[in-house]
Amino acid sequence: MYSPTELKKGTVIQLDGAPFKVIEYSQKVVGRGGSIVNVKLKNLLTGAVIPKTFKGQDKIEPAEVLSRKVQYLYADGDDFFFMDPETYEQYQVPLETIGDAKGFMKESAELDLQFFNGAIVGNVLPKNMWLEVVRTENVVKGDTTSSVMKDAELETGLVIKVPAFIKEGDVVSVDTESLSYRERQK
């Protein structure tokens, strides 16, 4: 069981028999050591987002969500296909479940699929992923300040801001949570 103050963004809990993921968290401390925790929860089965308030003494049930490492195979329309590299079992996952992770789907990319009572309810990407820059503007000659950022389209179609020295063909590390550039592969 969780106490409300143990919740954080990304924690998966169970309410009324359904899994919910914490997408926003704020805590208010009130007099005499009590606290109120306000969260926004996303229902992993329906996608609905609801606000919820917990008091300091509430007990919250963790959801029994299992993770399985899978490898991306291909997309067909709005469906994405993955394979468990150990059992070779294949999974068909709709775009709604993939969400923002679609910008990181390249052949053989690995991620974790989340299962609740046998149904796929979400995914977890690695913290960082390496992707190749396929299109970016050239730098204006003489503009060598390191703070200049420009758009770069990556091999998956994702567009991020990168430093001016990045060119087409470079492979860059991207933070999968913030969608921001981290470093260039050496």
Side-chain angles (χ1 to χ4, degrees):
M1 291 291 200
Y2 290 121
S3 73
T5 55
E6 292 175 312
L7 296 178
K8 63 181 189 253
K9 192 175 173 184
T11 303
V12 180
I13 63 171
Q14 187 169 323
L15 290 175
D16 304 322
F20 286 84
K21 184 179 202 174
V22 177
I23 56 174
E24 282 183 29
Y25 173 93
S26 68
Q27 179 179 357
K28 293 182 183 129
V29 178
V30 291
R32 296 194 170 248
S35 65
I36 295 174
V37 173
N38 292 312
V39 292
K40 279 197 179 168
L41 302 170
K42 180 179 182 180
N43 185 319
L44 296 179
L45 299 175
T46 65
V49 176
I50 61 166
K52 183 83 172 157
T53 301
F54 295 105
K55 298 200 174 9
Q57 69 277 10
D58 290 347
K59 294 292 178 210
I60 304 155
E61 187 177 351
E64 291 293 324
V65 175
L66 303 173
S67 287
R68 184 170 292 146
K69 189 163 288 304
V70 295
Q71 195 172 48
Y72 174 66
L73 297 174
Y74 64 94
D76 184 15
D78 282 346
D79 290 324
F80 292 77
F81 293 84
F82 298 88
M83 178 184 69
D84 183 320
E86 292 179 11
T87 65
Y88 302 108
E89 188 174 353
Q90 292 191 13
Y91 304 99
Q92 181 176 346
V93 184
L95 177 61
E96 308 86 65
T97 304
I98 293 299
D100 293 338
K102 77 175 187 178
F104 293 95
M105 293 298 114
K106 70 174 191 171
E107 191 175 311
S108 76
E110 288 190 345
L111 61 104
D112 289 331
L113 286 181
Q114 295 177 313
F115 294 82
F116 180 77
N117 291 340
I120 298 170
V121 295
N123 62 77
V124 178
L125 288 168
K127 176 77 176 121
N128 305 297
M129 289 184 75
W130 293 96
L131 298 169
E132 183 179 348
V133 176
V134 294
R135 194 176 54 74
T136 188
E137 306 104 40
N138 288 328
V139 181
V140 176
K141 193 168 180 100
D143 191 357
T144 56
T145 58
S146 59
S147 63
V148 173
M149 300 294 272
K150 62 182 181 177
D151 287 339
E153 182 180 339
L154 306 176
E155 62 186 295
T156 60
L158 183 67
V159 176
I160 65 167
K161 294 280 190 197
V162 296
F165 61 83
I166 298 294
K167 58 190 181 310
E168 290 178 12
D170 283 350
V171 176
V172 296
S173 176
V174 181
D175 183 308
T176 57
E177 263 185 47
S178 65
L179 305 181
S180 60
Y181 165 86
R182 289 194 61 248
E183 64 180 322
R184 177 173 61 176
Q185 194 172 47
K186 297 181 177 33

